[in-house]
Amino acid sequence: MPALVGLAVVSLLAGGLTPASAENSRALYRDASAPVPQRVDDLMSRMSVEDKLGQMVQIERDAAGPADVADHRIGSVLSGGGSTPTPNTPEAWADMYDRYQRAALDTPLGIPVLYGVDAVHGHNNVRTATIFPHNIGLGATRNPWLVRRVGAATAEEVAATGIDWTFSPCLCVARNDRWGRTYESFGEAPWLASTMSEEITGYQGHRLGDDPTSIMATAKHYVGDGGTTGGVDQGDTRLSERELRRIHLEPFRAAIERDVASVMVSYSSWNGTPLHAHRYLIRDVLKRELGFDGVVLSDYDAIHQLDGDDSTLTASEVRRSINSGLDMIMLSTDHERFLHLLRQEVSAGTIPMSRIDDAVRRVLTKKFEMGLFERPFAQRDLLSTVGSDEHRALARQAVRESQTLLENDGVLPLSPEEDKVFVAGSNADDIGNQSGGWTISWQGSSGAITEGTTILEGIRQVSDAPVTYDREGDGIDSSYDAAIAVVGEKPYAEYRGDSPEGVRLSRQDLDTIAKLRESGVPVAVVLVSGRPVEVTEHVDDWNALLASWLPGTQGGGVADVLFGEYDPTGKLPVTWMRSYEQQPINVGDRKDPLYPFGYGLSYRN
Ligand code: GLC
């Protein structure tokens, strides 16, 4: 065994590192062949209270640099949406990660940090990364094996930059499409989210840490975030416990069966009690009844909301959240205040040391399982996978399978050889719009924000005949065989996407479609959106309607369906309402939708 420890020391030195301390470098917790529980016990026996409390903090990179993280013995760092190094390149991410890791390893116990990001549809903060369809499109595929492969490809690109942890998949069950996070849901049926939790195995592998590309997954947001009244983000889910369990809890059971490494708690409330202070649902149901043994993580500054005043963190908020069972607290800033209040509560005995030990044990267990003590740095040999042809081909297949054909009078499929096509619309040539929120920035944005193929570029690649494009439809005439209008939503994320009045096409989009129709040319409408859009009064005037969802960077997959390279197989993951006044409208509630849950045409039928 000493030889092995010696090897560990040599490898640390080879990495330009000074071992944490000579004595600790020979400690049992450094022995990779020892069982994880014994390594955890040994390490915890060596930790001061300060060492332990620091492990319960996850701080935004903007608020704490490597030295600060090391000085406070902080256990985890995150990049919130759009919090990127400059330049925003995979190599710069790996350099940033390794700087945090080196500082953490250079402390007496040398406990590595866990770094987390929202890689929710690819490594979406990073320019040049492959951006996959958002979850609502993946739900339309009904293909969990494809979704697992999406998770695995994402994990490769994430691990290449060093990052250990993705705050994904969102297993929210979206029950009211006014909700701004509907597109982060796999759909309105619990079984669909449960099935698609297969993505966890893609991220983690069959056993966390067994493969160098394995990253921690996060089932979020526990529990009932998609069921808030009126679809208000971070609102109140008013349901009986039976209904809460039937609709919103089941996907978390499936995630735990897949050994998900962490669960993120929801900002929302259940019958008026905030989830971040819900001891019954976290400690009794999640940890005890469902047997969840991973890390329960807060949402971003979520505990600041518990006392009603978001601005100031209070002792009561720290006490209530930790005693409710949260193990790690995600903070934008305030880590020193949080640690001061936590220390105060522990000293006063209002947070028992046993609760702290449970939390720290869970965090350290994941660090050992991830192999962080043995493999602390970015897997730079994987950098070539970021945005690779292989991953983009997989993304294109995911786009194909997500496309959901809702109307078609025969205008589709187009002929690549013969059809003279005119393309128009606000979302035809815009990578940012077709990727949606959580892309390069938190909210996403229009424009050429990263590398990829717009839907127009995809059409031009697939069609052999010349393709004419004008965003507004100017220049259309009867010489064309078909017109394609690519329209829909512009990027948003979270509460900024809440739409209490419902979602309809903009005047600009409707004018563009009208201009195309005036030429007498058949019009196929391609709807790029994160949720159903109210189209009832217009759809009879259209020759085809294709729900494209938020396809990401590989717009060629949309063109493949339009030109029959791929026969559409997508099935609605959410009921498509006649009018927003029908919301919430979900499978089984016997309302009369425009298109029911599970609906989708192919070219054969
Ligand atoms: C956000 C989201 C959550 C995300 C976290 C970190 O507010 O609610 O889904 O993982 O912050 O960016």
Side-chain angles (χ1 to χ4, degrees):
M1 202 62 77
L4 201 67
V5 172
L7 195 62
V9 172
V10 166
S11 67
L12 280 170
L13 291 170
L17 287 168
T18 52
S21 73
E23 190 266 335
N24 286 332
S25 62
R26 290 189 297 279
L28 172 63
Y29 76 89
R30 289 217 166 270
D31 176 357
S33 68
V36 165
Q38 289 178 25
R39 299 180 78 180
V40 172
D41 288 344
D42 178 60
L43 179 51
M44 287 184 71
S45 71
R46 301 164 186 271
M47 293 170 78
S48 65
V49 171
E50 289 308 310
D51 288 328
K52 292 180 177 179
L53 301 187
Q55 288 299 309
M56 298 171 68
V57 174
Q58 180 177 70
I59 188 67
E60 167 62 54
R61 59 171 279 281
D62 268 340
D68 201 14
V69 164
D71 290 349
H72 289 89
R73 308 289 190 267
I74 281 171
S76 180
V77 181
L78 86 140
S79 280
S83 176
T84 68
T86 304
N88 181 6
T89 63
E91 294 73 11
W93 276 84
D95 294 343
M96 173 181 72
Y97 175 86
D98 285 355
R99 281 196 296 276
Y100 278 104
Q101 217 51 299
R102 282 201 180 85
L105 295 176
D106 202 17
T107 55
L109 291 170
I111 302 173
V113 293
L114 284 166
Y115 199 119
V117 296
D118 295 276
V120 295
H121 64 140
H123 199 359
N124 40 254
N125 283 315
V126 182
R127 283 186 56 76
T128 74
T130 311
I131 305 298
F132 293 90
H134 267 296
N135 286 356
I136 194 162
L138 296 180
T141 71
R142 299 298 199 274
N143 185 346
W145 317 127
L146 171 77
V147 172
R148 184 202 288 186
R149 289 171 58 207
V150 168
T154 300
E156 277 189 351
E157 298 196 20
V158 169
T161 59
I163 308 300
D164 312 294
W165 189 357
T166 179
F167 307 132
S168 176
C170 184
L171 296 179
C172 46
V173 181
R175 303 289 286 180
N176 189 318
D177 303 339
R178 294 185 176 92
W179 188 38
R181 306 194 75 166
T182 296
Y183 69 79
E184 296 185 64
S185 167
F186 288 109
E188 67 189 29
W191 65 264
L192 197 46
S194 299
T195 304
M196 295 307 179
S197 68
E198 186 71 31
E199 190 169 37
I200 292 164
T201 306
Y203 288 136
Q204 298 187 167
H206 286 289
R207 201 171 74 150
L208 185 68
D210 269 8
D211 187 300
T213 62
S214 173
I215 60 173
M216 288 169 58
T218 306
K220 73 183 187 182
H221 308 81
Y222 185 83
V223 64
D225 53 343
T228 56
T229 305
V232 174
D233 190 39
Q234 305 186 16
D236 190 21
T237 299
R238 296 185 199 122
L239 287 173
S240 68
E241 180 165 351
R242 181 175 170 279
E243 282 296 274
L244 182 77
R245 286 173 173 269
R246 180 180 71 83
I247 298 170
H248 299 287
L249 186 65
E250 280 313 302
F252 288 89
R253 188 191 304 277
I256 293 165
E257 285 165 6
R258 288 184 168 86
D259 288 330
V260 70
S262 62
V263 168
M264 185 186 294
V265 177
S266 178
Y267 284 112
S268 57
S269 299
W270 176 44
N271 295 338
T273 303
L275 265 297
H276 277 81
H278 215 294
R279 184 181 178 120
Y280 169 68
L281 286 178
I282 297 173
R283 292 181 68 165
D284 299 338
V285 175
L286 179 63
K287 288 187 171 180
R288 197 165 301 129
E289 178 187 328
L290 297 187
F292 178 61
D293 61 1
V295 175
V296 178
L297 175 68
S298 82
D299 206 332
Y300 199 80
D301 286 349
I303 69 171
H304 291 59
Q305 298 178 3
L306 292 179
D307 286 358
D309 161 20
D310 296 12
S311 58
T312 312
L313 186 60
T314 65
S316 156
E317 288 167 336
V318 173
R319 184 172 57 249
R320 289 170 64 198
S321 56
I322 300 301
N323 283 338
S324 296
L326 277 118
D327 303 313
M328 183 177 275
I329 303 300
M330 184 190 291
L331 298 167
S332 63
T333 60
D334 268 0
H335 53 292
E336 291 176 305
R337 177 168 173 74
F338 172 77
L339 285 168
H340 165 71
L341 294 170
L342 183 58
R343 192 180 304 117
Q344 204 173 259
E345 292 301 310
V346 171
S347 304
T350 49
I351 297 179
M353 201 59 210
S354 58
R355 179 69 272 279
I356 300 297
D357 285 339
D358 171 50
V360 174
R361 176 173 301 281
R362 289 167 180 264
V363 172
L364 295 179
T365 297
K366 292 308 159 197
K367 293 187 176 185
F368 283 119
E369 288 176 351
M370 278 288 288
L372 278 186
F373 287 81
E374 288 72 47
R375 289 193 314 267
F377 300 117
Q379 315 274 336
R380 291 174 189 259
D381 55 321
L382 294 170
L383 281 169
S384 59
T385 71
V386 180
S388 66
D389 291 346
E390 181 193 349
H391 287 178
R392 290 186 188 277
L394 173 63
R396 183 169 183 156
Q397 181 59 24
V399 174
R400 287 187 191 113
E401 295 189 32
S402 64
Q403 301 306 290
T404 311
L405 184 62
L406 301 175
E407 296 286 352
N408 183 31
D409 69 357
V411 66
L412 299 179
L414 301 167
S415 162
E417 296 79 26
E418 289 154 26
D419 280 342
K420 184 184 171 191
V421 172
F422 191 107
V423 179
S426 58
N427 287 351
D429 196 28
D430 194 310
I431 272 278
N433 290 354
Q434 70 190 51
S435 297
W438 296 105
T439 313
I440 310 304
S441 66
W442 172 44
Q443 290 292 314
S445 60
S446 299
I449 60 172
T450 189
E451 293 175 4
T453 306
T454 66
I455 294 168
L456 170 66
E457 289 164 344
I459 291 168
R460 285 190 157 136
Q461 286 170 5
V462 173
S463 173
D464 300 330
V467 173
T468 306
Y469 167 69
D470 181 87
R471 195 173 190 276
E472 282 68 43
D474 292 333
I476 180 77
D477 61 38
S478 58
S479 72
Y480 290 92
D481 299 299
I484 302 171
V486 187
V487 296
E489 291 194 297
K490 304 303 171 275
Y492 54 82
E494 302 194 53
Y495 48 83
R496 293 193 191 172
D498 281 2
S499 194
E501 305 309 317
V503 181
R504 295 165 187 82
L505 285 178
S506 67
R507 182 73 261 153
Q508 176 196 48
D509 282 345
L510 290 171
D511 290 348
T512 300
I513 295 170
K515 195 177 296 179
L516 299 175
R517 287 194 58 246
E518 280 156 19
S519 70
V521 172
V523 178
V525 174
V526 176
L527 195 48
V528 172
S529 68
R531 54 192 158 184
V533 173
E534 193 174 313
V535 296
T536 308
E537 64 180 293
H538 308 290
V539 69
D540 291 343
D541 298 334
W542 303 342
N543 301 84
L545 172 59
L546 181 71
S548 192
W549 310 113
L550 295 171
T553 51
Q554 304 319 121
V558 180
D560 292 336
V561 169
L562 291 171
F563 284 86
E565 301 290 314
Y566 181 84
D567 188 340
T569 54
K571 301 297 176 199
L572 282 181
V574 287
T575 301
W576 200 289
M577 73 280 145
R578 286 187 184 282
S579 106
Y580 258 87
E581 280 61 52
Q582 292 182 299
Q583 292 288 352
I585 179 171
N586 295 294
V587 56
D589 65 12
R590 281 199 283 277
K591 292 184 180 177
D592 175 28
L594 185 60
Y595 307 110
F597 174 85
Y599 184 81
L601 301 175
S602 78
Y603 294 140
R604 292 187 302 278
N605 63 13

